Amino acid sequence: MDGNGRWAASRGLPRVEGHRRGVDAVRRAVRSAIELGVHFLTIYSFSSENWRRPPAEVADLMGLLKLFVRRDLADLHGNNVRVRIIGEREGLSSDIAGLLDEAECRTQANTGLTLIVAFNYGGRQEILRAVRNLARSVAEGALAPDAIDLDVLTGALDTTGIPDPDLVIRTSGEQRLSNFLTWQTAYAEYVIVPEFWPDFDHAAFHAAIEEYHRRDRRFGGLSGKVG
């Protein structure tokens, strides 16, 4: 969800206003996902590297997260949305950790769209945590090294139980992964859109999915399309 700051700067507004409008875009994206029949939607809300931003901006982002959970959790629950949080929980302030736990616990029985919020998340850091946990199991004698295969490592990631993404949408025209779902996106399709995230709407979401359906997904094999 890239381009909040640039959206604000292009309008002579403070960066926090771009982040506020970005939250509005999250709401639209969730509604669009439900309308389009998407089963899993992952939003990259705050990366492990975002802590490097100025303290005032980090504080603004934390405030917007709190506001989103307090204002929107009831609506998400009412729309049968299940919330999953991925990312490092250790070291988070108790109020933030409590809100994340509340969002997951309150919606855990829902069966509609699964909204995965990547918070304090980095793809490399996720893999490192998984490898360390598996190494501990080996050291304790609970796991044999030769038993570690792709499925075992995948099951040790934050996204266990969640299918790999079919489509990654990157806004603002940027053409890099930025440490997002590094393992899981090995065979995802990428759609780069020029809009800054606050301008991302249902039409842009629908167009990205239409583009995805035009792709020929071979997964290393031969084309499944004829003609």
Side-chain angles (χ1 to χ4, degrees):
M1 302 185 292
D2 198 33
N4 291 345
R6 279 170 287 168
W7 181 93
S10 69
R11 291 162 173 77
L13 300 170
R15 287 178 62 85
V16 67
E17 184 59 27
H19 295 312
R20 289 193 187 104
R21 298 299 181 92
V23 173
D24 292 337
V26 170
R27 296 185 180 107
R28 291 196 301 269
V30 170
R31 289 195 297 269
S32 294
I34 293 171
E35 292 172 13
L36 293 166
V38 173
H39 298 295
F40 295 87
L41 174 67
T42 304
I43 57 173
Y44 202 4
S45 66
F46 193 85
S47 76
S48 304
E49 291 75 26
N50 285 158
W51 295 108
R52 301 172 186 168
R53 295 188 176 190
E57 182 170 349
V58 171
D60 287 336
L61 290 168
M62 294 302 110
L64 288 171
L65 172 68
K66 294 176 186 177
L67 199 61
F68 178 78
V69 173
R70 288 169 182 156
R71 287 185 176 179
D72 292 76
L73 186 57
D75 286 341
L76 292 171
H77 186 46
N79 282 295
N80 199 29
V81 175
R82 182 186 181 191
V83 178
R84 285 274 304 268
I85 312 295
I86 61 174
E88 179 60 66
R89 303 284 185 99
E90 187 176 346
L92 294 177
S93 63
S94 59
D95 56 342
I96 293 294
L99 285 173
L100 299 180
D101 290 342
E102 178 188 354
E104 286 191 310
C105 291
R106 187 171 178 183
T107 63
Q108 62 182 349
N110 291 343
T111 58
L113 170 72
T114 296
L115 175 65
I116 303 114
V117 180
F119 180 81
N120 194 24
Y121 174 86
R124 288 180 172 180
Q125 291 86 339
E126 175 191 28
I127 295 169
L128 179 59
R129 286 195 303 277
V131 169
R132 283 176 172 169
N133 288 334
L134 292 173
R136 290 189 189 99
S137 296
V138 170
E140 293 165 359
L143 180 67
D146 290 344
I148 299 174
D149 57 14
L150 292 178
D151 290 336
V152 170
L153 181 51
T154 298
L157 298 172
D158 295 355
T159 51
T160 181
I162 299 171
D164 289 345
D166 297 302
L167 169 65
V168 174
I169 302 171
R170 174 107 195 205
T171 58
S172 83
E174 299 289 356
Q175 300 187 44
R176 59 181 181 272
L177 192 55
S178 295
N179 208 15
F180 178 62
L181 297 177
T182 308
W183 177 274
Q184 298 88 340
T185 56
Y187 278 101
E189 296 293 324
Y190 290 81
V191 171
I192 310 298
V193 298
E195 294 93 346
F196 293 139
W197 175 246
D199 291 328
F200 190 80
D201 57 14
H202 181 78
F205 201 153
H206 189 267
I209 290 184
E210 285 188 329
E211 170 61 26
Y212 164 79
H213 283 298
R214 288 193 287 269
R215 303 285 178 87
D216 182 13
R217 305 189 75 199
R218 298 186 296 278
F219 299 98
L222 298 178
S223 175
K225 293 185 177 181
V226 178

